Amino acid sequence: QIIFSQNEASNWYFGQRAGLNFNAANGTVTALTDGQLNTLEGCTSISDTDGNLLFYSDGRTVWNSLHQPMANASEALGTGLKGDDSSTSSGLIVPKPQDPNFYYIFTVDEPHHFNSAAFPDQVDGDGVNDGLMYSLVDINLNAGLGDVDPLEKNVPLITYDITNPAEVDFKCSEKITAVKADDCSSFWVISHFTNKFYAFKVDVNGVNTTPVISEVGPEVPVSGYRRNALGYIKASPDGSRLVVAHLGFATTLAGEAPGGVYLFDFDNDTGIVSNEQILYGPENGDSPYGVEFSAENGKVYATINAGANGSGPSSVVQWDLESADIPASQTVI
């Protein structure tokens, strides 16, 4: 996932050392084969305003423009970030407003049931569900190649009820997105857990660690983690809507159940989420995962994997946001 304007999204690195370069000047798209990232899920990359690669990440390691791990953000060196390359949205890069030398990387761990109190004898990864965190990248460090600031690294953001042991066990879903705020000089970083959206403001002063919390939409049972944690959240380019894919609504740990796709209004002035619309409900018996808006904000899409465990055929579904009845405009494309 990328927050961008102009040429900041010119270089994508994703998958198993795959990449793409988008050249806006001549309208070409070229494959890149020099990437070091190897992941089946979350990834993030960013370039400067001229389209030159700055860095990219799988949520654990951050590679600079020479494809070298940053010293303060390398899993191999034991100094990595606290995301997980098996998290839907393991990392998200947001530029610090009005300061081209600093970038924030928001990371989301995979909330694994083996790291919960129900499995005291098993662990996954570092043995802790780390939840949502952020780290600051200073591009001036390492002779201009950049590195993570050790004084502002893996800073936790609270997206759960600290009095609820089940929520403390998992801390966050695998969902994170960002969009420009109404003032056009700051950003909202948005995550979701159980039945609440958490919107964090990023402005010239940095990351506001006190979120705007909106309780809206269906409750995704924490009792059905980790599978219930999967699925994307995306904001529309104009910042007026959010779309969310919940892979499932299971009620037992590591269980599988059908999920759904939901559309919401988003106030990018206040950070408030409201007005739930069900686009694709669990009664269909399927498992949604990916979501995205069209560039002109007129349509929204989801990838739907057939069956409660998502192992069936996959399809791309479209809804018309200009329709008088948006859910009824559903079509498989």
Side-chain angles (χ1 to χ4, degrees):
Q1 297 187 353
I2 314 161
I3 289 302
F4 62 92
S5 62
Q6 300 175 19
N7 295 304
E8 283 94 332
S10 293
N11 296 286
W12 294 8
Y13 286 94
F14 56 93
Q16 296 175 304
R17 295 181 175 84
L20 290 171
N21 171 262
F22 297 85
N23 189 312
N26 57 28
T28 61
V29 182
T30 306
L32 299 173
T33 59
D34 52 2
Q36 298 301 303
L37 188 149
N38 187 354
T39 175
L40 295 178
E41 293 192 80
C43 48
T44 183
S45 53
I46 196 161
S47 302
D48 63 21
T49 55
D50 295 321
N52 301 306
L53 175 67
L54 290 175
F55 57 91
Y56 56 98
S57 177
D58 62 0
R60 288 178 172 175
T61 297
V62 184
W63 289 270
N64 61 30
S65 60
L66 297 181
H67 310 286
Q68 302 165 337
M70 292 183 179
N72 289 333
S74 172
E75 182 186 14
L77 298 176
T79 60
L81 304 186
K82 296 292 187 177
D84 193 302
D85 58 4
S86 189
S87 176
T88 301
S89 300
S90 60
L92 174 68
I93 299 168
V94 176
K96 185 176 182 182
Q98 300 184 33
D99 195 333
N101 297 311
F102 295 97
Y103 295 82
Y104 293 105
I105 302 182
F106 292 84
T107 58
V108 182
D109 197 7
E110 176 192 36
H112 205 290
H113 51 279
F114 283 167
N115 296 336
S116 71
F119 290 86
D121 300 323
Q122 298 192 63
V123 297
D124 177 77
D126 62 2
V128 178
N129 291 326
D130 293 300
L132 176 62
M133 295 185 169
Y134 80 87
S135 300
L136 178 67
V137 172
D138 182 348
I139 209 68
N140 290 315
L141 297 177
N142 193 21
L145 291 171
D147 203 348
V148 170
D149 184 339
L151 300 179
E152 198 165 355
K153 175 183 175 183
N154 291 326
V155 180
L157 296 171
I158 305 302
T159 59
Y160 53 91
D161 181 353
I162 61 173
T163 67
N164 184 328
E167 291 196 16
V168 174
D169 254 0
F170 293 98
K171 294 186 176 64
C172 189
S173 71
E174 297 183 4
K175 295 173 171 61
I176 183 173
T177 192
V179 69
K180 273 194 173 181
D182 185 56
D183 59 17
C184 292
S185 62
S186 57
F187 296 94
W188 291 105
V189 174
I190 308 154
S191 188
H192 179 273
F193 189 47
T194 64
N195 63 341
K196 298 181 181 69
F197 290 89
Y198 296 82
F200 296 88
K201 192 72 169 289
V202 182
D203 58 21
V204 293
N205 298 311
V207 179
N208 185 337
T209 58
T210 301
V212 175
I213 302 174
S214 302
E215 185 174 336
V216 61
E219 180 174 356
V220 184
V222 71
S223 58
Y225 269 48
R226 73 180 165 90
R227 296 285 288 172
N228 284 5
L230 276 68
Y232 273 94
I233 176 175
K234 296 303 287 286
S236 62
D238 65 0
S240 67
R241 285 184 163 120
L242 296 176
V243 62
V244 181
H246 296 302
L247 188 81
F249 294 101
T251 56
T252 58
L253 284 175
E256 294 176 337
V261 181
Y262 299 82
L263 183 70
F264 300 89
D265 290 339
F266 181 66
D267 187 329
N268 66 345
D269 180 35
T270 64
I272 294 173
V273 183
S274 62
N275 191 27
E276 170 203 7
Q277 291 190 66
I278 304 173
L279 298 183
Y280 197 95
E283 67 276 4
N284 291 288
D286 300 322
S287 300
Y289 182 75
V291 289
E292 186 58 277
F293 288 91
S294 60
E296 83 294 347
N297 308 287
K299 294 180 173 61
V300 67
Y301 301 88
T303 56
I304 309 293
N305 304 300
N309 62 3
S311 63
S314 180
S315 57
V316 178
V317 179
Q318 172 189 283
W319 292 270
D320 183 357
L321 296 176
E322 297 175 351
S323 170
D325 188 344
I326 297 173
S329 70
Q330 175 182 313
T331 181
V332 175
I333 64 168

